[in-house]
Amino acid sequence: FFSTMANKDDSGMKGAVKSFLAGGAGGMSLVFVGHPLDTVKVKMQTAAVGEYAGMADVFRKTIASEGPLGLYRGMSAPLVGVTPIFALYFLGFDQGKRIAVSMGGPFVKKNGEVSTAGIMFGGGFSAIPGTVLMVPGDRMKVMAQAAKPGQYTGPIHILKSIIKAEGFMGLYKGTVLTLWRDMPGSVAYYGMYELLKAELTPEGGKMSTPTILFSGGMAGVANWLVAVPPDVVKSRFQNAPKGKYTGGMQVLRELVATEGMRSIYKGLGPAMARAVPANAACFLGFEYAMAALNRYW
């Protein structure tokens, strides 16, 4: 029933459209399930030293001051943009695998299918088109999540504030750091999913829902183990006033000097807690959407 790619006999354009649409469905599933823990992660990463005692403290203080909906603050920006963003990531992954197969060599198995190296290549490639749409929404999300109650009235207010203070290109603050996070993270993400899926699916059999959920959850864990340090740097850089930092290396040096090496893993707890359910939901949404597209188109 399930297929992680469009049908092999699909044309390049048809397969690309299927990957784009199914990726959007997966991204929306991820945001609905994972945003509260993402809010906790960002609050921990951008907080002053000693402001929070841990993940549970962030939950308590956020709910006490803002109510349960405070955990969903900033969700409108990623939710509105998530369909094209994740659509582009899954499209990039699908096309990256196709490019790898066309290149041959270590990217192709003897039977002509994409190899583990080809899957890793496709994962890294996926970050390139996805980042184009990811950064503006991610910048707005970080600012909304790190803001004090009442600081912004909504995403339009944040958008206007960024453009007023930094110009239009302020929306793309942190682009290089996003690539620094997402390229190795995507190698781990898609690589773990595809490898676990292949290992857990009987030869000649069909992939089950539990296999999708487990493989997707572990893919999220693999991604964040790689991506948390650059994500901490990116969040600090994006939330800082214009001109405070010249780049990611200055943020990294300051973090290590003032808070120690452990500071670059700030937010690892909520990132790990979010990774399993959110990415399980993401891949389940993707697989069901792709299966429906393959069945009816």
Side-chain angles (χ1 to χ4, degrees):
F1 182 73
F2 293 108
S3 173
T4 51
M5 283 184 66
N7 289 328
K8 290 184 178 180
D9 58 351
D10 282 339
S11 67
M13 180 57 70
K14 186 176 180 181
V17 172
K18 285 183 177 182
S19 295
F20 184 85
L21 294 174
M28 292 182 71
S29 302
L30 179 144
V31 171
F32 278 119
V33 173
H35 192 80
L37 283 162
D38 187 65
T39 297
V40 172
K41 173 180 70 68
V42 171
K43 281 179 176 286
M44 290 181 69
Q45 290 175 337
T46 57
V49 178
E51 184 173 350
Y52 297 116
M55 186 169 68
D57 191 37
V58 180
F59 268 110
R60 283 194 298 269
K61 289 181 178 177
T62 301
I63 293 172
S65 62
E66 305 171 48
L69 290 179
L71 294 169
Y72 285 91
R73 187 145 56 96
M75 190 176 78
S76 55
L79 190 59
V80 169
V82 78
T83 299
I85 289 169
F86 271 80
L88 278 177
Y89 270 94
F90 276 92
L91 170 62
F93 177 52
D94 187 77
Q95 295 304 302
K97 288 192 290 184
R98 293 176 189 269
I99 291 170
V101 170
S102 70
M103 292 168 64
F107 299 131
V108 181
K109 298 178 183 177
K110 291 181 179 179
N111 61 5
E113 294 181 354
V114 64
S115 67
T116 300
I119 290 169
M120 302 298 185
F121 175 87
F125 183 85
S126 72
I128 298 172
T131 296
V132 175
L133 288 181
M134 169 69 82
V135 175
D138 201 43
R139 173 88 201 276
M140 293 171 64
K141 174 182 73 68
V142 166
M143 290 186 66
Q145 291 171 322
K148 302 301 180 185
Q151 185 174 347
Y152 300 112
T153 58
I156 300 300
H157 187 191
I158 297 173
L159 178 65
K160 289 180 178 178
S161 298
I162 294 171
I163 293 175
K164 182 178 179 180
E166 305 174 37
F168 178 79
M169 291 309 295
L171 292 169
Y172 281 90
K173 182 179 181 180
T175 298
V176 172
L177 294 177
T178 301
L179 282 170
W180 182 27
R181 177 194 69 181
D182 285 358
M183 289 189 79
S186 293
V187 168
Y189 185 61
Y190 290 108
M192 179 64 76
Y193 181 74
E194 293 279 354
L195 292 172
L196 281 177
K197 177 208 69 173
E199 186 67 26
L200 297 174
T201 302
E203 189 172 350
K206 295 183 178 180
M207 184 166 50
S208 66
T209 296
T211 292
I212 297 169
L213 293 173
F214 178 76
S215 300
M218 291 303 100
V221 169
N223 170 74
W224 283 111
L225 283 174
V226 174
V228 162
D231 188 58
V232 172
V233 174
K234 179 193 71 66
S235 293
R236 283 290 180 101
F237 183 76
Q238 288 182 319
N239 196 50
K242 184 180 181 181
K244 181 176 180 179
Y245 298 116
T246 58
M249 291 306 298
Q250 184 185 355
V251 180
L252 180 61
R253 285 194 296 268
E254 180 183 289
L255 272 169
V256 174
T258 59
E259 301 178 40
M261 283 297 296
R262 292 183 63 182
S263 66
I264 64 173
Y265 280 95
K266 269 190 172 184
L268 180 63
M272 289 293 102
R274 171 183 178 268
V276 175
N279 290 286
C282 176
F283 277 101
L284 189 66
F286 172 81
E287 295 289 4
Y288 270 100
M290 181 62 80
L293 288 167
N294 283 339
R295 176 177 290 184
Y296 298 110
W297 185 22

